[in-house]
């Protein structure tokens, strides 16, 4: 039972909400500081922050996640929404989490950035990091999920695994729940 966001971080859990870029990024700070702030201990020297190491970490994630910017010290506010989402992903990947929760990670970004984010989700999952993907876009769920749970009003209404995951099956579970709810209320 987690008691706070810091407790979740200590347990290796990262979270990116659909509004995170606006709410969580420090837009007036450089990309490097935004990436390393969740793992500040990882770049500490004996008496101060190791700014050279911070730049190395930033460069590595800029290359790995294809964050399009001219410089590491560019302020995050000057990046596109898709690149801001990548900075958030880099922040949590920098901590080497066991689980990362992504709530609508591609909402409001262009098609090219969306496919890059989805490729990163697949890569993260392939490395053994648990990914909990929350999305209202059925196509995104079908492309990216190995196991899918349909939730309505806070309760599990059905589960699909592997080849069962399709837009039709997701819609069927949603419709089935609506019918059940109507019978219970009617």
């Amino acid at each position: 039972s987690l008691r706070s966001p810091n407790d979740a971080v200590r347990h290796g859990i990262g979270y990116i909400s659909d509004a995170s870029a606006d709410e969580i990024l420090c837009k007036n700070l450089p990309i490097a500081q935004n990436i390393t702030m969740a793992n500040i201990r990882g770049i500490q020297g004996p008496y101060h922050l190791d700014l050279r190491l911070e730049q190395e970490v930033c460069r590595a994630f800029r290359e790995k996640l294809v964050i399009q910017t001219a410089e590491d010290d560019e302020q995050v506010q000057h990046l596109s929404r898709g690149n801001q989402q990548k900075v958030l992903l880099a922040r949590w990947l920098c901590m080497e989490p066991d689980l990362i929760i992504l709530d609508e990670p591609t909402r409001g970004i262009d098609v090219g950035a969306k496919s890059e984010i989805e490729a990163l989700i697949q890569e993260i999952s392939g490395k053994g990091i648990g990914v909990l993907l929350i999305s209202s876009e059925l196509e995104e769920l079908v492309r990216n999920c190995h196991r899918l749970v349909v939730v309505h009003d806070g309760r599990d209404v059905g589960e699909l695994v592997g080849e069962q995951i399709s837009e039709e099956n997701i819609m069927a579970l949603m419709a089935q729940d609506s019918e059940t709810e109507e019978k219970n209320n009617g």
Side-chain angles (χ1 to χ4, degrees):
S1 54
L2 303 172
R3 295 191 171 106
S4 70
N6 284 337
D7 199 19
V9 170
R10 279 191 297 279
H11 283 86
I13 300 172
Y15 173 69
I16 300 176
S17 75
D18 63 334
S20 286
D22 295 327
E23 295 174 3
I24 295 176
L25 284 173
C26 298
K27 292 191 172 190
N28 61 336
L29 291 179
I31 296 164
Q33 289 177 8
N34 270 280
I35 288 174
T36 58
M37 71 175 40
N39 190 19
I40 203 80
R41 289 190 177 117
I43 60 164
Q44 270 183 311
Y47 305 106
H48 61 289
L49 295 179
D50 185 339
L51 299 179
R52 182 190 50 77
L53 180 57
E54 181 180 60
Q55 292 301 314
E56 286 176 19
V57 168
C58 178
R59 242 177 259 110
F61 277 106
R62 271 185 53 210
E63 290 173 13
K64 182 178 183 174
L65 276 61
V66 193
I67 298 171
Q68 297 175 1
T69 180
E71 303 172 12
D72 295 337
D73 61 354
E74 184 172 349
Q75 291 180 348
V76 173
Q77 66 188 349
H78 300 300
L79 300 178
S80 69
R81 172 96 168 140
N83 282 305
Q84 289 177 1
Q85 283 294 88
K86 291 178 190 178
V87 169
L88 281 171
L89 272 171
R91 177 186 294 174
W92 291 113
L93 293 175
C94 181
M95 322 173 10
E96 299 177 355
D98 296 319
L99 170 68
I100 189 160
I101 302 168
L102 304 172
D103 186 358
E104 302 284 356
T106 63
R107 181 181 287 170
I109 61 176
D110 65 65
V111 175
K114 180 181 276 198
S115 64
E116 290 175 357
I117 297 283
E118 287 186 19
L120 291 169
I121 291 169
Q122 294 296 325
E123 183 180 333
I124 292 166
S125 172
K127 289 184 176 180
I129 297 171
V131 177
L132 176 60
L133 175 63
I134 302 165
S135 180
S136 56
E137 292 187 35
L138 301 185
E139 306 88 18
E140 182 174 62
L141 294 169
V142 170
R143 285 190 303 267
N144 293 293
C145 293
H146 304 285
R147 179 174 165 233
L148 185 137
V149 177
V150 177
V151 177
H152 183 258
D153 285 337
R155 61 187 174 78
D156 175 348
V157 298
E159 181 176 330
L160 303 170
V161 180
E163 296 296 317
Q164 296 175 328
I165 299 173
S166 69
E167 289 183 50
E168 295 79 21
N169 288 343
I170 296 169
M171 293 296 290
L173 284 173
M174 293 167 66
Q176 178 183 343
D177 184 61
S178 293
E179 290 172 10
T180 303
E181 189 174 313
E182 285 178 18
K183 286 179 186 176
N184 291 338
N185 290 334

